[in-house]
Amino acid sequence: MLYDIRLNLHYDYETAVGGGRHLVRVLPSNLGQRQRVVAASLSFSPTPGERSDFNDFFGSSVAAIAFREPHQTLDVRMSARVSVTRPEAGLDVSPRIDALARETAAVRSLDSDSPHHFLAATDFADLDPAITAYARESGDGSVAAIAMDLCNRIRRDFAYDGTATDVQTRASDAFALKRGVCQDFSHVMISSLRGLGIPAGYVSGFLRTIPPAGQERLEGADAMHAWVRVWCGREAGWLEFDPTNGMRASNDHITVGFGRDYGDVAPIVGVLKTTGGQAGAQAVDVVPVA
């Protein structure tokens, strides 16, 4: 699939911002044959006084920007053309959990794809006995089968509710509520798998949405999205699951970056020199190219 993607993040500040620094992660990633960025641009209004671009430890594209002049608003605009070709799901060659533990112990690398980075509790994906008990109900089959079952159960057992949580909600809180958004469902699934000893990480990206039959696609109605990557052993490698939709990640999932949880791949983080609050809005378009 070939997509044109447009993103606009807009922020209004209650009082003028005297200065600020931000890290912005919204550009799609180049991932070899699976995902190729044909062209991309990232701009800001007002124009920052400083900007540097680099890739972080996990390979995500980062723009570090700084403002020294007062400003009342901030716009982040990204556009990209991206080709996505995910391989078809093949035979399940993942091991059972006991064999996975041996395969994980045999990994001697600490590079960005090493499963060792994705086993411990993190700020948003805390290890909770109640979540681990929930995860055990997915049986003792292969790692990929357990992950798929968990993905489907979270889709079934949790209600999508954009008002129940916020960007600071931890997995244990979302689990207690049984409500939330894609970020929460991903953190619950990550915590579930790690509780079983299965390495799992967070994927930030975009999801193409398809309007109901007979209705036109609304401009700006697509969304940034989150899903889960699971290390399924030496032979299967990393597989990706979307617990919000109860499915394996497909050609409609466009990857921005990977991390241990949301904190590693938040679209924008930083500090401001100001008083008062702020309001933000997001608009995303993911348009297939014929």
Side-chain angles (χ1 to χ4, degrees), residues 27-270:
L27 283 168
S29 291
N30 269 307
L31 301 172
Q33 295 282 338
R34 190 182 72 183
Q35 179 171 297
R36 183 171 62 90
V37 178
V38 179
S41 67
L42 177 62
S43 63
F44 304 92
S45 180
T47 302
E50 290 180 23
R51 174 176 173 175
S52 62
D53 296 88
F54 60 94
N55 289 332
D56 66 16
F57 175 73
F58 293 110
S60 305
S61 177
V62 186
I65 58 175
F67 297 95
R68 294 190 179 86
E69 300 298 325
H71 53 286
Q72 197 81 44
T73 63
L74 172 62
D75 281 283
V76 179
R77 298 186 181 93
M78 187 280 295
S79 62
R81 175 165 286 189
V82 182
S83 174
V84 182
T85 310
R86 290 181 182 268
E88 294 288 332
L91 293 174
D92 182 359
V93 294
S94 64
R96 299 171 79 91
I97 292 178
D98 54 351
L100 181 77
R102 294 191 292 273
E103 291 190 16
T104 303
V107 174
R108 294 292 184 258
S109 170
L110 285 177
D111 68 13
S112 60
D113 255 357
S114 170
H116 297 299
H117 299 300
F118 303 92
L119 277 168
T122 53
D123 288 343
F124 293 99
D126 48 331
L127 297 183
D128 183 317
I131 297 179
T132 301
Y134 176 80
R136 289 197 182 101
E137 295 175 20
S138 284
D140 60 354
S142 72
V143 171
I146 290 170
M148 191 72 252
D149 188 72
L150 263 171
C151 178
N152 288 326
R153 289 172 58 215
I154 291 170
R155 171 70 176 85
R156 183 189 68 224
D157 297 343
F158 288 67
Y160 192 94
D161 184 347
T163 66
T165 58
D166 59 35
V167 294
Q168 299 301 321
T169 300
R170 292 156 59 94
S172 54
D173 298 321
F175 181 79
L177 290 169
K178 297 294 189 294
R179 313 181 76 80
V181 295
C182 59
Q183 174 180 320
D184 304 302
F185 304 153
S186 296
H187 284 149
V188 169
M189 184 169 175
I190 291 168
S191 178
S192 297
L193 292 165
R194 289 179 186 170
L196 298 177
I198 300 172
Y202 190 96
V203 189
S204 172
F206 300 99
L207 177 64
R208 173 199 178 197
T209 57
I210 300 173
Q215 297 186 26
E216 294 185 3
R217 190 185 68 84
L218 298 177
E219 185 171 347
D222 294 309
M224 290 206 74
H225 193 52
W227 58 98
V228 177
R229 67 197 303 242
V230 183
W231 196 67
C232 294
R234 184 177 54 249
E235 294 297 324
W238 289 97
L239 303 179
E240 297 179 11
F241 301 82
D242 181 351
T244 304
N245 294 293
M247 62 185 295
R248 288 275 295 270
S250 70
N251 284 343
D252 290 333
H253 292 75
I254 301 113
T255 301
V256 168
F258 305 114
R260 294 161 297 181
D261 62 20
Y262 171 80
D264 287 334
V265 284
I268 181 168
V269 294

